[in-house]
């Protein structure tokens, strides 16, 4: 007899909770919907062919025994409106980063007048490509660049970029490079409408959940004793790449909102530095606008130029 979805769900939930998985019922539903290629909402009415039930049991057992992230086991992670292929060697996109992407899409200034017909958007430390590919999906006219240094992450990034291009999105340009290199993408200097980044930002020695520490790549996580080493070196690169009025957004550790604001203020070439919180209310990303000439700047989506206090605050 073909097993029904509720009884398979109960079996998967029991297997996962016996293995110590906290959100066993939710993960069981994710596993079964992936095995059936259907949405979670449709599970209640789904038939479960025996070989699909077997696949779901195998995934659940693997998860219960290894505690490997479920996204690695299933080979996919939901990222905003897109599914990213992920596996060992690449950082799993997090919901917090969707807030940064949403902010960027709502705030994106027009392309540089007289130079570019399309907005140039650069994702530094791109990982699976979540930021770059979401922007390319939402803004078909943008020229999007995804910069990643790690060879394993690059394999996933190239795979996701190819999948999205096949699905009809404007192709992104993948750059195998160090995002903190002063000489990165020289042809784009002063042309970017947006530089966006979710870089490594965990303070070394921080106590991470075993599921993260034991499985996700250290190069994606850690950035020196304070967690700001990569951000510190990335800010001058972003400043060089951005056009006047271009926007910068950078995710950071929740302990580092003030530190990242200070890094941008110390650089001296940014205005409108703002902190943003995640859905749990923790400081999560900082945004700013590139200002090349504080006296002349009036261009930023038609908004007011920087005021006197902001200029004084940033020492210009
Ligand atoms: C926290 S992960 C974020 C990945 C992706 N942006 C996301 O939100 O899912 C940081 C990524 O930066 C990459 N990375 C670390 N240092 C880098 C550097 N100097 N230049 C380029 N990429 C770097 C890591 O390999 C990793 O893929």
């Amino acid at each position: 007899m073909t097993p029904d979805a509720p009884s398979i769900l109960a079996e998967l939930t029991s297997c996962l909770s016996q293995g110590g998985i906290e959100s066993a019922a939710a993960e069981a539903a994710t596993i079964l919907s992936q095995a059936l290629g259907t949405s979670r909402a449709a599970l209640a009415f789904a038939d479960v062919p025996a070989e699909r039930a077997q696949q779901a049991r195998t995934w659940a057992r693997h998860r219960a025994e290894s505690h490997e992230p479920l996204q690695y086991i299933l080979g996919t992670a939901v990222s905003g409106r897109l599914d990213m292929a992920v596996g060992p060697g690449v950082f799993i996109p997090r919901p917090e980063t969707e807030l940064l992407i949403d902010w960027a899409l709502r705030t994106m200034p027009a392309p540089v007048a007289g130079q570019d017909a399309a907005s140039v958007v650069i994702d530094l430390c791109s990982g699976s490509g979540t930021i770059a590919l979401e922007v390319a999906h939402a803004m078909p006219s943008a020229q999007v660049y995804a910069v990643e240094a790690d060879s394993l992450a690059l394999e996933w990034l190239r795979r996701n970029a190819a999948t999205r291009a096949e699905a009809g999105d404007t192709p992104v340009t993948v750059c195998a490079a160090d995002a903190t290199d002063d000489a990165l993408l020289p042809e784009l200097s002063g042309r970017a409408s947006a530089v966006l980044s979710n870089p490594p930002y965990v303070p070394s020695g921080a106590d991470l959940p075993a599921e993260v520490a034991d499985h996700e790549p250290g190069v994606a996580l850690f950035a020196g004793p304070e967690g700001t080493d990569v951000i510190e070196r990335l800010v001058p690169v972003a400043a060089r790449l951005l056009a006047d009025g271009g926007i910068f957004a950078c995710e950071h550790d929740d302990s580092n909102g003030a530190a990242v604001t200070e890094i941008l203020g110390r650089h001296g070439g940014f205005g409108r530095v703002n902190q943003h919180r995640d859905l749990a209310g923790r400081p999560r990303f900082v945004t700013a606008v590139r200002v090349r000439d504080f006296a002349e700047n009036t261009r930023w989506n038609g908004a007011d130029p920087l005021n006197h206090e902001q200029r004084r605050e940033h020492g210009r």
Side-chain angles (χ1 to χ4, degrees), residues 91 93 97 125-127 130-131 147-150 153 177-180 198-200 219-220:
F91 182 81
T97 308
C125 300
S126 194
T130 178
I131 296 176
V147 179
E148 171 59 49
D150 181 71
D178 179 351
T180 66
N198 175 20
V219 66

Side-chain angles (χ1 to χ4, degrees), residues 11 117 126 163 230 247 253 299-300 303:
E11 188 187 327
S126 194
T163 302
V230 176
I247 58 173
D253 188 73
R299 172 189 174 276
W300 185 60

Side-chain angles (χ1 to χ4, degrees), residues 57-146:
R57 288 186 190 103
T58 304
W59 282 333
R61 263 199 307 274
H62 182 156
R63 171 79 173 127
E65 284 163 14
S66 69
H67 283 213
E68 189 175 4
L70 184 59
Q71 294 91 335
Y72 284 174
I73 295 169
L74 301 182
T76 184
V78 179
S79 162
R81 279 159 293 181
L82 305 179
D83 289 335
M84 293 290 137
V86 294
V90 74
F91 182 81
I92 299 165
R94 304 293 206 275
E96 293 89 314
T97 308
E98 289 171 33
L99 301 174
L100 180 156
I101 297 168
D102 277 354
W103 176 87
L105 292 174
R106 279 188 281 109
T107 315
M108 193 78 65
V112 180
Q115 214 180 84
D116 289 301
S119 295
V120 171
V121 180
I122 304 170
D123 170 15
L124 299 179
C125 300
S126 194
S128 64
T130 178
I131 296 176
L133 294 170
E134 285 223 49
V135 170
H137 183 67
M139 293 181 60
S141 64
Q143 290 172 26
V144 183
Y145 294 78

Side-chain angles (χ1 to χ4, degrees), residues 141-209:
S141 64
Q143 290 172 26
V144 183
Y145 294 78
V147 179
E148 171 59 49
D150 181 71
S151 58
L152 284 178
L154 274 162
E155 286 179 25
W156 293 101
L157 172 57
R158 291 199 171 102
R159 178 167 159 185
N160 285 315
T163 302
R164 291 311 315 161
E166 276 163 30
D169 289 352
T170 307
V172 308
T173 303
V174 173
C175 309
D178 179 351
T180 66
D181 183 350
D182 288 341
L184 178 73
L185 296 169
E187 69 282 12
L188 298 182
S189 291
R191 287 179 48 200
S193 294
V195 173
L196 311 173
S197 186
N198 175 20
Y201 60 64
V202 179
S204 47
D207 201 13
L208 293 176

